[in-house]
Amino acid sequence: RTWTVRLRSAMAHQLASPPEGFERSVRLCRLVCVMLVAGVCAHAEQLDACVADFWAWARETRLMKWDTFEPALVMTVFTIFLLSWQSIDLGRWGSHAWSARYRLQPGGPEGKTHAEHSRKIWKAEGYGAQEFLLYLVPLLAFDWLYPRRVLPTQAPTVAGMAAEVLGTLVLYDALFTASHTVMHGVPWLFKRVHAKHHLHRHVRAREIFRLSAPEEVADTGCSILALTLTRAHPLSRAVYNVVIVFLLCEIHSGYDMPWQLCNVVPGGVVMGSRQHVEHHATGRGAYAKFFSFLDIGAAGRRRRRDMDRRPGSGEGKVVGLGHELGIDTVMAL
């Protein structure tokens, strides 16, 4: 099938500014988070005891012993979070009354309204079936042929769990940044592997499933490799899976809300929806998903490429992602 991907000029694209009172809301959210962290630190021993009691019960359940527990958990939380963002986009339960002010792209492409474009984006397109076939089915088969899940007796501490989740997130993002940089830097890979993810400049959480089969395998592989290398506790792995799915849906949501992690953590250390939507719209920068310090190493490579394809070659023009004009690519896949 033939389809077209256009990432237009960065100069022609602007995201909405934060609404009035946004910074005040951010400061309030930071205060709440500081209080929560302080409460956790003050009651660390009691919380560790609760985690130990929970793990003593959970490790004996059939669900936790199931080899495919983690992939099933990922698909479950993906469903919950995506349905939540869909409800916000489509204005269910009066969500537009409070969410509209946080939209990064208040309108839709080609004169469409936000609601019109949202209905198009959220229309069923079979991506759920692809996720089931390419992600869950192979893992189900592998786990059935090679059962290997062994649950430790000892539970992790709350601090240990937090460190393992954060460490795995950073390692995953480093692996993803490397693969993402290569996909954008090599025209053939961009065309054949990554361009499908950039089909829409106006982004919704649904875009997280708009992946080619090779990219889905590569992205999943980055997460599996990160978990393998950190050797995190099974309970930490479960928490990591919930957190990363939440963050993936959030950065593709098209909303910049004051309580999001990118705003709560000061110093611009954490990247969020604003940076990722800009990346989708222009094709430039934000090669990492979550952590800005991982994107620094790719900055030099972004500026080096400025390649032109012959007219009529079917590949259009590919401009380096550091170039001010972004990318304008027409593909036949």
Side-chain angles (χ1 to χ4, degrees):
R1 58 195 177 97
T2 302
W3 52 287
T4 301
V5 173
R6 294 191 183 276
L7 300 178
R8 305 183 192 278
S9 168
M11 296 180 292
H13 180 79
Q14 282 188 332
L15 300 182
S17 300
E20 184 179 354
F22 187 83
E23 287 300 324
R24 184 173 61 252
S25 299
V26 169
R27 288 193 294 269
L28 178 60
C29 293
R30 286 176 178 172
L31 177 60
V32 171
C33 289
V34 168
M35 294 172 63
L36 287 173
V37 171
V40 169
C41 293
H43 299 87
E45 290 186 5
Q46 296 94 315
L47 291 173
D48 288 343
C50 291
V51 171
D53 290 341
F54 171 78
W55 179 244
W57 166 80
R59 67 183 299 274
E60 298 299 331
T61 62
R62 293 181 61 184
L63 182 62
M64 187 61 74
K65 291 179 178 180
W66 185 30
D67 278 87
T68 318
F69 166 74
E70 290 179 23
L73 176 64
V74 168
M75 295 302 293
T76 301
V77 294
F78 254 129
T79 302
I80 294 171
F81 293 145
L82 286 175
L83 287 176
S84 300
W85 284 113
Q86 181 191 50
S87 298
I88 293 174
D89 274 334
L90 301 181
R92 293 172 182 165
W93 309 306
S95 60
H96 281 175
W98 63 268
S99 66
R101 63 198 303 258
Y102 299 121
R103 291 175 191 157
L104 292 168
Q105 298 163 308
E110 301 173 356
K112 292 181 180 179
T113 66
H114 183 275
E116 289 172 337
H117 187 58
S118 293
R119 285 194 292 270
K120 175 185 177 181
I121 291 292
W122 286 104
K123 185 178 179 181
E125 296 176 343
Y127 294 138
Q130 176 179 300
E131 289 294 313
F132 181 76
L133 292 173
L134 290 180
Y135 175 69
L136 197 55
V137 169
L139 292 174
L140 279 167
F142 184 75
D143 292 338
W144 180 71
L145 293 170
Y146 180 50
R148 64 206 176 280
R149 189 166 171 84
V150 178
L151 302 176
T153 303
Q154 187 173 2
T157 63
V158 173
M161 238 184 341
E164 287 181 338
V165 171
L166 178 59
T168 308
L169 279 172
V170 172
L171 183 54
Y172 160 79
D173 206 20
L175 294 169
F176 170 81
T177 302
S179 66
H180 194 197
T181 301
V182 171
M183 288 181 194
H184 274 272
V186 180
W188 182 87
L189 281 176
F190 182 87
K191 173 183 174 180
R192 297 297 181 187
V193 177
H194 189 51
K196 182 178 181 180
H197 190 58
H198 281 274
L199 181 61
H200 295 294
R201 294 174 65 240
H202 288 70
V203 181
R204 304 292 184 272
R206 175 68 178 277
E207 302 302 324
I208 191 59
F209 274 177
R210 199 182 304 277
L211 302 173
S212 67
E215 183 170 12
E216 184 176 337
V217 172
D219 202 359
T220 303
C222 289
S223 188
I224 293 174
L225 180 58
L227 285 167
T228 302
L229 293 175
T230 57
R231 306 185 68 174
H233 189 280
L235 196 54
S236 300
R237 292 169 66 106
V239 174
Y240 160 84
N241 283 317
V242 175
V243 170
I244 194 172
V245 170
F246 177 83
L247 292 175
L248 288 172
C249 293
E250 183 181 85
I251 65 173
H252 288 88
S253 67
Y255 291 86
D256 185 23
M257 299 176 176
W259 50 84
Q260 291 177 347
L261 194 62
C262 59
N263 294 315
V264 172
V265 177
V269 176
V270 178
M271 295 175 10
S273 184
R274 182 173 293 275
Q275 291 85 359
H276 204 73
V277 169
E278 184 71 21
H279 171 77
H280 270 259
T282 66
R284 297 190 299 117
Y287 285 4
K289 281 181 178 175
F290 308 130
F291 301 103
S292 59
F293 57 84
L294 293 175
D295 209 36
I296 296 174
R301 290 190 295 275
R302 289 190 216 116
R303 301 187 184 97
R304 287 206 297 258
R305 297 192 179 271
D306 186 3
M307 294 165 290
D308 292 293
R309 296 297 181 189
R310 292 182 314 229
S313 66
E315 294 181 4
K317 183 179 181 182
V318 182
V319 182
L321 295 184
H323 196 282
E324 290 193 3
L325 293 182
I327 297 178
D328 188 8
T329 309
V330 179
M331 289 155 298
L333 298 182

